[in-house]
Amino acid sequence: MTSTVNLLSTSKCFGGLVKRYSHYSECCACEMKFHVFEPPAATSKPAVLLFLSGLTCNDENFITKAGAIEYAYKNNLFLVCPDTSPRGCKIEGEDDSWDFGTGAGFYVDATTEKWCKNYNMYSYISEELYNIVNKQFSVNVNKWSIFGHSMGGMGALVIALRNPGKYQSVSAFAPISNPVDCQWGLKNFSNYLGTDDKSKWEQYDPSILARNYKGSHIDILVDQGTEDNFLEEQLKPQTLQDACEANPQHLALSLRKQEGYNHNYFFISTFIKDHIEFHAQHLNQQ
Amino acid sequence: MTSTVNLLSTSKCFGGLVKRYSHYSECCACEMKFHVFEPPAATSKPAVLLFLSGLTCNDENFITKAGAIEYAYKNNLFLVCPDTSPRGCKIEGEDDSWDFGTGAGFYVDATTEKWCKNYNMYSYISEELYNIVNKQFSVNVNKWSIFGHSMGGMGALVIALRNPGKYQSVSAFAPISNPVDCQWGLKNFSNYLGTDDKSKWEQYDPSILARNYKGSHIDILVDQGTEDNFLEEQLKPQTLQDACEANPQHLALSLRKQEGYNHNYFFISTFIKDHIEFHAQHLNQQ
């Protein structure tokens, strides 16, 4: 059973349509919103490219600020831009922090009593929304790739590494690469997953997953600005690079250090063309 | 004397720098903010392209949402993005409407007692900010063009038509083309300029100015979406077209009706490349 999606708005852009939808999410037990970009009708059904946003964002930031639509149009890709957390669930403390709770679902399935009813963004993205998009839109259901920014870069890497074959490629802008070993990860994982069983945390850590990954080969593109204020304390791309280099049979990471760039959408918009073309190359292979 | 500008933030983008500044405006008698994009250092000083935003916007909307930076970089243009009104002036009623007061300076010099101390966006844009940019930044002071959206498209047309030779070209997305004859114009002009002397209003009406324009030749590019909710009641591009066609010696308007587009940044971003290349062609002429 797929939930009904409700069209909230439509805007023409680069000959295609930007649409915003809401729907009741079974995974999150609340109403969720997402944006899509449908490229202009072509002879072939578009492949799907899913973007996961970072802390404090909702489903609007990427579609309005990244400059992605021009390149999705040029490469006949169907963009999907979900929200970053459940909203309005009336859980005590959900709105107290900018880096935890609302706007910060961390793409996990929560296991603690307080959060487990709603905060299930891992299953929401990798199963529920995946099925909704494949059933409700005219897309190539066998061609998906995934990317994201910061917390969403982490989510994209985790979802790709835990679902071999489901995504043709994965990329990230400034991903949280080793969340079990940074303050953002400790704060969110301890609340959503508890502190008793740290093996649960490892299921959401890109570097640990990359080191142990044995599935079909994945190409990974990561861009990291050298002036990113979160680089040293929170992001730790070197740990991901070390993990991928230890697993060369299965993973090929291209980590590009972009001199002078910081953590915002001015950085993302500069390199969005490269990321979309990277995914288009993988999605358009036979 | 030029006021000091204070740098608020810097972000690298497409090899250049997006910077936000604040400064005390003599014209508006308050602190004002603006964004610039400095393209990467080139052998020639960049020409200046000024964008005026529409109702409800501030200095952030265009620089973050229009996808303009990629094309400013490719054409070696220095972008300037001012705010749309004075802010925080504590004038009774300034924050009561979305289409009047704060966020809606209408690019006029107010003459009514209540508004004339602060609401002088016409002189702020065409004189004060023009001088600040020419003195504070490494730009080609003889090469300026101007464009804008909606209220800002109106402002760009008005400022270009009232200052022959100052701007090499002018363009607009969905401009308010005949404000003396629409509700937005009536509301703002009657408050800022009073109702006693309607000849004051005509100094801010693109269609009336175009019909009477006798300065050096100006090329004008206007894009208008056919699904724009404000088209019939507020924008009236046909009146501008009629005025330009009555004055072919001095004005050449290309009015493009873009099928299916509405009034938002998804429309602007689709055609921003065309507008920036239009200005670059005019600015790079000898």
Side-chain angles (χ1 to χ4, degrees):
Chain A
M1 194 189 73
T2 304
S3 63
T4 308
V5 295
N6 308 300
L7 181 64
L8 301 178
S9 67
T10 303
S11 297
K12 194 170 178 181
C13 194
F14 284 94
L17 294 173
V18 174
K19 295 180 176 178
R20 192 183 201 188
Y21 291 92
S22 69
H23 71 109
Y24 182 79
S25 164
E26 301 286 341
C27 285
C28 300
C30 69
E31 202 77 7
M32 296 288 282
K33 290 177 180 155
F34 63 93
H35 268 92
V36 304
F37 170 67
E38 293 181 353
T43 49
S44 60
K45 284 188 181 181
V48 182
L49 181 55
L50 175 75
F51 186 87
L52 300 182
S53 285
L55 291 168
T56 75
C57 291
N58 64 16
D59 62 304
E60 292 188 290
N61 301 66
F62 179 76
I63 201 77
T64 56
K65 291 178 156 185
I69 295 171
E70 176 173 1
Y71 298 105
Y73 150 67
K74 287 180 174 170
N75 291 283
N76 191 36
L77 297 176
F78 187 97
L79 288 178
V80 180
C81 311
D83 205 344
T84 55
S85 76
R87 288 180 191 271
C89 296
K90 299 182 178 168
I91 302 169
E92 184 221 340
E94 67 184 346
D95 295 327
D96 290 355
S97 302
W98 68 272
D99 59 0
F100 169 68
T102 301
F106 245 66
Y107 303 104
V108 302
D109 284 347
T111 56
T112 52
E113 192 181 342
K114 186 171 175 182
W115 301 96
C116 70
K117 180 184 167 201
N118 302 107
Y119 275 66
N120 297 307
M121 290 297 290
Y122 175 81
S123 292
Y124 173 69
I125 298 295
S126 62
E127 297 291 339
E128 186 173 12
L129 187 60
Y130 180 88
N131 290 330
I132 287 171
V133 170
N134 279 343
K135 286 180 187 162
Q136 302 269 353
F137 298 99
S138 180
V139 297
N140 184 337
V141 299
N142 298 311
K143 297 284 191 182
W144 279 68
S145 286
I146 187 167
F147 67 152
H149 172 226
S150 194
M151 174 183 76
M154 179 197 73
L157 290 162
V158 164
I159 289 170
L161 291 165
R162 286 180 56 177
N163 294 275
K166 196 165 185 175
Y167 303 92
Q168 314 298 305
S169 49
V170 56
S171 77
F173 299 92
I176 304 172
S177 296
N178 191 203
V180 303
D181 190 30
C182 75
Q183 181 265 328
W184 278 340
L186 296 175
K187 181 173 182 176
N188 283 275
F189 286 175
S190 59
N191 277 284
Y192 295 140
L193 305 172
T195 53
D196 292 345
D197 179 5
K198 293 286 178 69
S199 70
K200 288 187 205 164
W201 294 25
E202 298 181 357
Q203 291 302 303
Y204 298 105
D205 187 291
S207 294
I208 294 170
L209 291 168
R211 196 169 281 277
N212 298 318
Y213 179 78
K214 299 293 174 218
S216 51
H217 184 88
I218 306 179
D219 283 338
I220 306 171
L221 172 63
V222 171
D223 274 315
Q224 174 62 57
T226 63
E227 295 301 308
D228 187 323
N229 284 333
F230 303 114
L231 176 54
E232 295 294 321
E233 297 293 322
Q234 309 284 1
L235 303 177
K236 309 196 175 186
Q238 192 59 50
T239 309
L240 179 65
Q241 186 166 39
D242 293 345
C244 291
E245 284 178 354
N247 192 358
Q249 272 187 289
H250 299 94
L251 297 173
L253 168 66
S254 172
L255 171 60
R256 310 190 306 183
K257 293 176 182 174
Q258 303 291 2
E259 191 66 32
Y261 287 86
N262 61 34
H263 199 67
N264 58 24
Y265 270 91
F266 295 119
F267 159 60
I268 294 174
S269 66
T270 302
F271 301 104
I272 193 71
K273 177 174 183 279
D274 293 354
H275 283 246
I276 290 178
E277 290 179 349
F278 166 80
H279 292 296
Q281 282 169 11
H282 288 81
L283 289 162
N284 294 327
Q285 285 173 349
Q286 295 309 310
Chain B
M1 193 189 73
T2 303
S3 63
T4 308
V5 295
N6 308 300
L7 181 63
L8 302 177
S9 66
T10 302
S11 297
K12 195 170 179 182
C13 193
F14 284 95
L17 294 174
V18 174
K19 295 180 175 177
R20 192 183 202 189
Y21 292 92
S22 70
H23 71 108
Y24 182 79
S25 164
E26 302 286 341
C27 285
C28 299
C30 70
E31 202 76 9
M32 296 289 283
K33 290 177 181 155
F34 64 93
H35 268 92
V36 304
F37 170 68
E38 293 180 352
T43 51
S44 60
K45 284 186 182 181
V48 182
L49 181 55
L50 175 75
F51 186 88
L52 301 181
S53 285
L55 291 168
T56 76
C57 290
N58 63 17
D59 63 303
E60 292 188 290
N61 301 66
F62 179 76
I63 201 78
T64 55
K65 291 179 158 184
I69 295 171
E70 176 173 2
Y71 299 106
Y73 149 68
K74 287 178 176 171
N75 292 284
N76 192 36
L77 296 176
F78 186 97
L79 288 178
V80 181
C81 310
D83 205 343
T84 56
S85 76
R87 288 179 191 270
C89 296
K90 298 183 177 167
I91 303 169
E92 183 221 339
E94 68 184 346
D95 295 327
D96 290 355
S97 302
W98 68 271
D99 59 0
F100 170 67
T102 302
F106 245 66
Y107 304 105
V108 302
D109 285 347
T111 57
T112 52
E113 193 182 342
K114 186 172 175 182
W115 301 96
C116 70
K117 180 184 167 200
N118 303 106
Y119 276 67
N120 298 308
M121 290 297 290
Y122 175 81
S123 292
Y124 172 70
I125 299 296
S126 63
E127 297 291 339
E128 186 174 13
L129 186 60
Y130 181 87
N131 290 330
I132 287 171
V133 169
N134 279 343
K135 286 181 185 160
Q136 302 270 353
F137 299 99
S138 179
V139 298
N140 185 337
V141 299
N142 298 311
K143 297 283 191 182
W144 278 67
S145 286
I146 187 167
F147 67 152
H149 172 227
S150 195
M151 174 183 74
M154 179 197 72
L157 290 162
V158 165
I159 289 170
L161 291 165
R162 286 180 56 178
N163 295 276
K166 196 165 184 175
Y167 304 91
Q168 314 298 304
S169 49
V170 57
S171 78
F173 300 91
I176 304 172
S177 296
N178 191 204
V180 303
D181 190 29
C182 74
Q183 182 264 330
W184 278 340
L186 295 175
K187 180 173 183 177
N188 284 275
F189 286 175
S190 59
N191 277 285
Y192 295 140
L193 305 172
T195 53
D196 292 345
D197 178 5
K198 293 284 178 71
S199 70
K200 289 188 206 163
W201 297 23
E202 298 180 357
Q203 291 301 305
Y204 299 105
D205 188 291
S207 294
I208 294 170
L209 291 168
R211 196 170 281 274
N212 298 317
Y213 179 79
K214 298 295 175 218
S216 52
H217 184 88
I218 306 179
D219 284 337
I220 306 172
L221 172 63
V222 171
D223 276 314
Q224 175 61 58
T226 63
E227 295 301 309
D228 187 323
N229 284 333
F230 303 113
L231 175 54
E232 294 295 322
E233 297 292 323
Q234 308 285 2
L235 303 177
K236 309 197 175 186
Q238 192 59 48
T239 310
L240 179 67
Q241 185 166 42
D242 293 345
C244 291
E245 284 177 355
N247 192 359
Q249 273 187 288
H250 299 94
L251 297 172
L253 168 66
S254 171
L255 171 60
R256 311 191 305 184
K257 293 176 182 173
Q258 303 291 2
E259 190 66 32
Y261 287 87
N262 60 34
H263 199 68
N264 58 25
Y265 271 90
F266 295 119
F267 160 61
I268 294 174
S269 66
T270 302
F271 301 105
I272 192 71
K273 177 173 183 279
D274 293 354
H275 283 246
I276 291 178
E277 289 179 349
F278 166 81
H279 293 295
Q281 281 167 11
H282 288 80
L283 289 163
N284 294 326
Q285 285 173 349
Q286 295 309 308

